[in-house]
Each structure stands twice: as structure tokens, then as C-alpha cells.
């Protein structure tokens, strides 16, 4: 079974902090994705990556950056956290071209 | 235009009954994939079922089946013999083409409540 692991299930940070969310997958998937999920808005794509060191902006990249130095790891960075970034963050991975995305358990991030 | 449309924000079904969750999609690609995910209140997204655009048969996985009507661009999820544990949010998703870096598109979800 595919395993996508997010580093934290719950996280509380303060406004202005630099926040790192880590995601690791164990199935050698080329593609990795970061979404945020807010009530009534569904899943919104922040960034995705289809190869090591490659990244593409999604629908809402502002205030975020990503890093993919190794194939299995995709990090989401909140450069200077703000209260409007309080949300559920979901990481996913998939094979190139075909097949479903597989998701981690999500990180509920609160920015105070 | 929305790539994926789920018009039912909330649905109720009696335990042991069948329920259909609607999904329509919009694409001009000939090759695409359609997916359904379940998200319980605990938050994880669970992959349920997949339908490829060239598949002639409707996909089935246990109590889940996908009613694929290509000409109407619909991909409805049918859950048979509903159980209390089926209460969750359900998301329809699409993946276009086979190109590198192709994105997934998600609907806004349907909240299903199974009534005992």
C-alpha cells in the first residue's frame, strides 16, 4: 500500500513565524502535491511537483513556497505565517500520467 | 468553467439503502481519469474508485460503483447497502490527459449522512 506521511497531525504557530510542513511518500511517485482545504471551498491546490527540484504553482501559491530536494519528500513552507493561513493542509502523491492521488492524513494548522 | 461539479452539498440515506452521489465533469481531452474519494470527519482522504475514459465497463469496488455516462460527462458514485460508517464527505475528481505534471481537479464535495 502507498504510504504518504505528513509530519504533524496538529500544529499551532504564531503570526510571523516561518512554518515547515513535511510530507514523505514511500512509493517512488514522481508527482507530489500540496492542497489546503477550507469549509465550503473544497480542496485548493497550492503547489505541485512532478520531479525533484521541479515545482509548479497551483491556484493559491501566494504566501507559500515549496522544496523538493529528494523524490520522496515535498515540503511546504509558510514564509511568514498569517492568521488567514489557518487551515487543513493535505499532501498527496501520484504516479506520472495515470492513477489516483494518494493522500496523507492531513495537518490541521492554526496560526494565532 | 468548473472542471468538476457536485451539485448536492448534503445527502441523507437510510441505513441499508442505496444512494447516488452526482458528479459532472468538463474536459475536451479524450484521455482522462475520474476518481472518487471519501473524507471522514477525521480528515484523511481515502481513494475509493477509478474510471478511465476508455473503460467501457463501469468500475466497481465492493459496495461502490461508478455510473459512467461519457456522452453526458457524468460520473456518479453509487453506494449500495449504506452503512453508518459511510457517513462522510465525498469528493469527485478528474485527471486530464497523460502528460507530465497533469493536475487533478476536485469538486466541492457532498456530505453524506447515513441514518440508522
Amino acid at each position: 500500500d502507498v504510504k504518504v506521511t505528513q509530519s504533524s497531525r496538529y500544529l499551532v504557530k504564531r503570526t510571523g513565524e516561518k512554518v515547515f510542513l513535511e510530507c514523505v511518500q514511500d512509493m517512488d511517485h514522481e508527482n507530489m502535491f500540496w492542497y489546503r482545504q477550507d469549509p465550503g471551498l473544497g480542496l485548493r491546490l497550492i503547489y505541485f511537483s512532478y520531479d525533484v527540484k521541479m515545482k509548479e504553482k497551483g491556484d493559491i501559491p501566494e504566501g507559500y513556497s515549496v522544496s523538493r530536494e529528494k523524490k520522496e519528500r515535498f515540503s511546504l513552507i509558510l514564509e511568514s505565517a498569517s492568521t488567514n493561513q489557518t487551515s487543513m493542509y493535505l499532501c498527496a502523491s501520484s504516479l506520472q500520467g495515470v492513477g489516483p492521488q494518494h493522500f496523507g492524513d492531513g495537518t490541521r494548522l492554526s496560526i494565532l | 468553467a468548473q472542471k468538476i461539479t457536485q451539485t448536492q452539498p448534503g445527502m441523507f440515506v437510510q441505513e441499508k439503502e442505496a444512494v447516488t452521489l452526482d458528479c459532472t465533469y468538463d474536459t475536451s481531452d479524450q484521455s482522462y481519469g475520474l476518481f472518487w474519494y471519501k473524507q471522514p470527519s477525521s480528515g484523511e482522504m481515502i481513494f475509493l474508485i477509478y474510471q478511465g475514459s476508455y473503460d467501457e465497463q463501469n468500475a466497481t469496488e465492493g459496495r461502490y460503483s461508478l455510473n459512467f455516462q461519457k456522452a453526458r460527462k457524468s460520473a456518479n458514485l453509487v453506494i449500495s447497502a449504506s452503512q453508518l460508517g459511510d457517513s462522510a464527505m465525498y469528493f469527485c475528481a478528474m485527471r486530464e490527459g497523460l502528460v507530465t505534471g497533469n493536475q487533478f481537479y476536485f469538486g466541492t464535495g457532498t456530505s453524506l449522512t447515513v441514518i440508522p
Side-chain angles (χ1 to χ4, degrees):
Chain A
D1 271 357
V2 176
K3 185 70 174 174
V4 180
T5 303
Q6 295 185 229
S7 51
S8 305
R9 200 74 197 268
Y10 299 92
L11 202 55
V12 180
K13 295 291 182 181
R14 296 208 172 274
T15 303
E17 280 193 71
K18 190 168 187 175
V19 180
F20 293 86
L21 301 183
E22 305 287 346
C23 177
V24 177
Q25 50 94 5
D26 67 357
M27 283 303 291
D28 205 34
H29 284 174
E30 293 88 358
N31 297 338
M32 296 189 76
F33 307 80
W34 274 107
Y35 295 90
R36 65 177 282 177
Q37 184 179 21
D38 301 287
L41 297 178
L43 275 76
R44 293 183 290 169
L45 182 65
I46 304 171
Y47 270 96
F48 67 101
S49 168
Y50 55 88
D51 202 351
V52 176
K53 297 192 186 294
M54 304 300 289
K55 61 183 179 185
E56 295 283 342
K57 291 181 179 179
D59 301 318
I60 51 163
E62 296 79 18
Y64 303 94
S65 62
V66 290
S67 172
R68 190 147 181 222
E69 296 296 317
K70 293 184 178 181
K71 191 174 186 180
E72 67 270 20
R73 186 180 296 270
F74 192 36
S75 303
L76 179 69
I77 303 151
L78 284 66
E79 297 291 342
S80 177
S82 64
T83 54
N84 63 11
Q85 292 178 309
T86 291
S87 187
M88 171 72 138
Y89 289 86
L90 290 162
C91 175
S93 72
S94 73
L95 283 169
Q96 204 68 277
V98 294
Q101 285 181 325
H102 297 270
F103 284 82
D105 288 343
T107 297
R108 294 187 190 272
L109 175 64
S110 295
I111 307 295
L112 305 180
Chain B
Q2 293 283 347
K3 290 282 189 181
I4 296 287
T5 302
Q6 294 179 255
T7 56
Q8 306 154 314
M11 290 281 286
F12 292 86
V13 64
Q14 205 74 40
E15 194 177 6
K16 300 179 186 175
E17 297 291 313
V19 63
T20 298
L21 306 183
D22 294 341
C23 173
T24 57
Y25 60 92
D26 181 30
T27 182
S28 56
D29 282 9
Q30 296 302 308
S31 178
Y32 52 90
L34 297 157
F35 309 87
W36 278 92
Y37 290 84
K38 172 184 178 182
Q39 187 180 41
S41 57
S42 50
E44 69 273 26
M45 292 280 280
I46 302 165
F47 166 64
L48 295 178
I49 196 167
Y50 163 77
Q51 179 85 41
S53 57
Y54 295 117
D55 295 340
E56 295 185 355
Q57 303 270 10
N58 286 343
T60 59
E61 288 287 346
R63 294 186 299 108
Y64 303 109
S65 60
L66 199 153
N67 184 0
F68 181 45
Q69 297 188 40
K70 196 169 184 176
R72 297 178 64 180
K73 294 189 174 178
S74 75
N76 298 339
L77 178 70
V78 180
I79 306 174
S80 62
S82 297
Q83 302 172 356
L84 296 178
D86 293 334
S87 294
M89 283 290 290
Y90 289 82
F91 291 92
C92 179
M94 176 177 67
R95 183 176 196 178
E96 288 179 310
L98 298 174
V99 298
T100 298
N102 49 344
Q103 287 189 45
F104 287 73
Y105 300 94
F106 286 82
T108 51
T110 295
S111 175
L112 178 66
T113 303
V114 180
I115 304 165

